[in-house]
Amino acid sequence: MSHARRQVGLAAVVVVVLAAGAAAVAAPGAWTWTWTWTGTTGATTAPEGSSLSGPAAGTGAGAAPVAAGLDATNETPTRLGLGPGELTSETARPTTRLGTAVAVGDDELRVRFGRYRVRELLDSATTDAERRAAVRQILEETRLAVDRLRDREVAAVRAYRDGATDRAGLFRRLAAVHLAAAEHRRTLSELQRRADGSLTFELETEIGTLDRRLSMFRSPVRERIADGAVGDTGGEVGVSTTEEGLALETVVDGAYVREVIRFDRYRGGDGESLDTTREVVDRLGVLYPYAFTASQRHSISLVERRLFVAEFPHPQGRVRVYLNRDTGEIYREVQRLELDQVHTRSAVDRTVESLRVTVDRVDGRDPTRVRVRDNLTDNPVEATVSVGDRTVGTTTEGDLWLVVGTAPVEMTVDTGDRTVNVTVGDTGTETQAQANGRVDAGD
């Protein structure tokens, strides 16, 4: 073996050790952000299922420069666009209907059978070899289930886009996928617990890989949709689509969360293949010139042959992306922006009878803040805010954060004795170019 080959082999061993340290399946019942810090990344190709962590691009010696034309000092996190085609957008509060609740419940019960199957197969095995064979069988069934979840997700969005189902139908189907993914993760957790001591490193790695793949179908936005589908009321959820894109967004727990999928970017296509971790790091620095370069740490894992998942915090929030290594394009993105950290710009500023209403947005897009003040004292004023004919919330201490989508909307602010009507859209709404991603990540 040559000296160069020995170096690469040693690096691969280090990667394996790092992955083993993070092999445990995360708790499947809740959405969590996990950040790891283990050291620098090298120019090696990570084996499938392994993880690499280290300083973000632009933070160490030899860091790649930001691509020309992208301003890393803008301090506005880049967002993944929805791609070409006609843009549709609407917002609504997910609510339950009998059909929705029954459909979600039945689907969850069918998937939950997997945990009982784990117990049955492993309890009947008498040797480590039999237990490992049972584990491989369950993992193969889970791999097929993951593929079916992706097919169901694509079909749900296609049906909504083509008019075959309405928004409630889309929410129901996405909630079902979300809950099914959680149950499959519980199955993996049960499998890992019951087969402990019989698992090889290869099987441990496969369990971790499948768990990360299942995480693609879960997000805080889908959690809110699923809560609404089973009867728990929550805030507004925005849904936008193009021919090949879906965006879901909401305000939850003091943060704005946006999830985007570009279905056309899952398969291979034109683009430069990313063969090393260094190339992935450099590419993320180009696609997210502010968020990635401002991050002090990141984690990168290979979730399947063509997809890397990368997570990185930054001063205004956190980002999780799924990067197609064959094309260098972002397939999925979930962004969380902390509302007390984002930089806003004024979209509307109107005063009526000493009542001042301002509407501020982040780079002309959601999240949107409605602020109501007494113009004479600058004291906060409690008011009910409506968008169209829907009441969307009440200003708490004078402020309300919400999503309004990409179409111009008529907003009413009512204090009980005074009413102010404003239009958000002429200067505050995301443009078609922005929605299509021509100024966003990967376009």
Side-chain angles (χ1 to χ4, degrees), residues 12 17 24 48 63 108 110 176 210 264 290 322-323 331 342-343 402 405-406 431:
V17 171
E48 183 168 336
E108 191 173 5
R110 285 193 296 270
L210 284 172
D264 56 326
Y290 165 72
Y322 293 84
L323 177 68
Y331 162 54
V342 296
H343 300 172
L402 71 160
T406 59
T431 65

Side-chain angles (χ1 to χ4, degrees), residues 227-251:
D227 289 345
V230 296
D232 295 334
T233 58
E236 298 276 306
V237 172
V239 53
S240 301
T241 63
T242 59
E243 185 177 347
E244 293 290 346
L246 168 72
L248 302 169
E249 57 184 348
T250 193
V251 172

Side-chain angles (χ1 to χ4, degrees), residues 157 203 214 250 293:
V157 177
L203 293 175
L214 287 165
T250 193
T293 55

